[in-house]
């Protein structure tokens, strides 16, 4: 067998075991946290269904990630004409009667198909990383020409604009982060980088005066004036901080008296980090941050060993997605960023988000496993 591999110049399938282990570890911790919330009765609406869904989603996610890693990403990007229209149509359906607004949310970003409820923006994230990476790899030599840069920007603005129209500004920022990290990793001219702060400032001003509602503006202004609305918009964040502080250095443990735990709205989802602080304490919270930082840095490192520019762009898109999710979610819990409804990767409750995050990791694993010009499962040796 070994001689056959040498004769054909075949390298065995390799996978980034460290990355896959880290995301799986996060998912296991997530299931334990949600099981603890359910068993301790911390939040009434969180029952056994939630942690069971989390476990099933983790299993499905691992399978999806491994399957995607087997496929050559150079072939996947060329199928953009299949998945991009599907993703855009699904997002478009949120503006019809099929779209709905979840309890406690201020955006209409979900689809209810009767047998399943999911957030189409998760599908759009994956298709955007693939399609924009392909666009960049094909046009990198000409990207600094004004018309070509305009087309790249239009490519980025379409998903950002659609998601912003849903009212899901947190996810719109995630798309902007994906776009920024991918385009900066290409051979972009310093002139565009120098102009970027002015453009971003102008867009922020336009959003403030013409897009954001008074409700969203107030969320931002509260950060500049802490204590101005303790019984209103600050209530959830103040509870989250109190929950984290109550955990002390080593935490209260996963299971104890119900009265020992502070209940925070969405503590199983957007505020899962606050519950982690309660049960694991300061030490455990730092440990979780280290694991998440390792995942982000591992994805960034994989971009450096990619076999081509396309692989590098895709990994940087995945890095932008994960990094922005972590920064915004943890910043929101620590009250240094506004409540913006962005889940913590591999930790917040939610089947759609869990599986889609694993799919993104699958793309990174595909880049890693195909980083050498070798035969592999579903790989064409003649591919250029």
């Amino acid at each position: 067998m070994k001689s056959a591999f040498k004769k054909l110049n075949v390298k065995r399938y390799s996978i980034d075991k460290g990355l896959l282990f880290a995301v799986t570890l996060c998912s296991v911790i997530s299931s334990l946290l949600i099981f603890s919330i359910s068993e301790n009765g911390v939040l009434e609406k969180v029952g056994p269904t939630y942690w069971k869904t989390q476990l099933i989603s983790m299993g499905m996610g691992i399978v999806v990630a491994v399957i995607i890693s087997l496929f050559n990403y150079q072939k996947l990007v060329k199928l953009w004409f299949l998945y991009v229209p599907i993703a855009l149509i699904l997002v478009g359906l949120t503006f019809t009667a099929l779209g709905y607004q979840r309890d406690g949310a201020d955006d209409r970003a979900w689809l209810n198909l009767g047998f399943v409820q999911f957030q189409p923006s998760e599908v759009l994230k994956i298709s955007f990383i693939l399609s924009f990476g392909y666009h960049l790899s094909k046009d990198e030599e000409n990207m600094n020409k004004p018309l070509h840069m305009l087309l790249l920007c239009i490519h980025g603005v379409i998903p950002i604009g659609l998601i912003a129209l849903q009212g899901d500004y947190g996810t719109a920022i995630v798309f902007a982060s994906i776009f920024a990290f991918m385009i900066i990793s290409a051979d972009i001219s310093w002139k565009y980088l120098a102009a970027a702060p002015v453009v971003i400032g102008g867009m922020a001003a336009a959003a403030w005066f013409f897009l954001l509602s008074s409700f969203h503006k107030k969320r931002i202004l509260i950060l500049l004036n802490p204590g101005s609305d303790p019984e209103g918009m600050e209530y959830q964040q103040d509870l989250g901080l109190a929950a984290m502080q109550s955990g002390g250095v080593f935490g209260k443990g996963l299971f104890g008296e119900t009265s020992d735990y502070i209940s925070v709205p969405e503590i199983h989802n957007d505020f899962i980090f606050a519950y982690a602080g309660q049960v694991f304490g300061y030490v455990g919270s730092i440990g979780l941050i280290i694991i998440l930082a390792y995942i982000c840095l591992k994805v960034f490192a994989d971009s450096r060993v990619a076999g081509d520019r396309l692989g590098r762009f895709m990994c940087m898109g995945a890095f932008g997605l994960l990094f922005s999710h972590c920064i915004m979610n943890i910043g929101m819990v620590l009250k240094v960023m506004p409540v913006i409804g962005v889940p913590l990767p591999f930790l917040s409750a939610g089947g759609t988000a869990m599986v889609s995050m694993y799919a993104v990791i699958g793309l990174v694993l595909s880049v890693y496993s195909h980083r050498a010009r070798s035969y592999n499962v579903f790989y064409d040796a003649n591919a250029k």
Side-chain angles (χ1 to χ4, degrees), residues 292-335:
L292 291 169
Y294 172 82
I295 292 170
C296 292
L297 291 174
K298 199 72 176 71
V299 171
F300 182 84
D302 286 348
S303 76
R304 309 304 298 178
V305 299
D308 59 10
R309 303 288 287 175
L310 171 61
R312 181 178 181 179
F313 298 148
M314 288 172 55
C315 286
M316 288 304 295
F319 173 81
L321 185 154
L322 294 166
F323 180 76
S324 58
H325 266 267
C326 292
I327 292 296
M328 286 195 288
N329 181 275
I330 295 175
M332 172 183 70
V333 174
L334 297 179
K335 205 178 177 181

Side-chain angles (χ1 to χ4, degrees), residues 331-354:
M332 172 183 70
V333 174
L334 297 179
K335 205 178 177 181
V336 294
M337 297 193 74
V339 176
I340 206 163
V342 173
L344 193 58
F346 307 105
L347 286 163
S348 292
T352 305
M354 178 72 79

Side-chain angles (χ1 to χ4, degrees), residues 128-294:
F128 179 63
I129 290 173
L130 286 165
S131 62
F132 191 62
Y134 187 50
H135 189 168
L136 268 176
S137 67
K138 287 293 184 182
D139 206 32
E140 188 177 17
E141 292 183 1
N142 299 308
M143 65 176 292
N144 290 310
K145 297 176 181 178
L147 179 59
H148 292 263
M149 179 56 69
L150 177 62
L151 293 174
L152 286 169
C153 289
I154 290 173
H155 192 155
V157 166
I158 289 173
I160 295 171
L162 277 174
I163 300 304
L165 286 175
Q166 289 180 333
D168 189 356
Y169 300 121
T171 303
I173 293 173
V174 171
F175 273 100
S177 299
I178 295 171
F179 171 81
F181 277 103
M182 291 180 77
I183 204 164
I184 289 173
S185 65
D187 289 330
I188 186 171
S189 170
W190 66 269
K191 296 178 182 178
Y192 290 110
L193 293 177
V198 177
V199 174
I200 293 171
M203 292 175 66
W208 181 268
F209 290 109
F210 303 109
L211 184 61
L212 296 180
S213 65
S214 57
F215 176 79
H216 291 102
K217 290 179 182 178
K218 190 174 181 180
R219 278 185 171 179
I220 297 171
L221 291 173
I222 280 174
L223 296 177
L224 303 176
N225 300 281
S228 59
D229 190 20
E231 300 300 321
M233 289 190 177
E234 289 183 273
Y235 179 72
Q236 187 178 14
Q237 286 181 299
D238 288 343
L239 271 181
L241 281 175
M244 290 201 68
Q245 292 168 356
S246 70
V249 178
F250 298 107
K252 302 173 181 177
L254 286 166
F255 306 104
E257 295 293 331
T258 301
S259 59
D260 290 342
Y261 300 93
I262 298 176
S263 180
V264 183
E266 300 301 317
I267 197 168
H268 63 301
N269 193 355
D270 295 344
F271 276 75
I272 190 86
F273 191 69
Y275 190 68
Q278 282 195 81
V279 300
F280 297 141
Y282 175 78
V283 173
S285 299
I286 293 298
L288 278 180
I289 290 174
I290 290 173
I291 296 172
L292 291 169
Y294 172 82

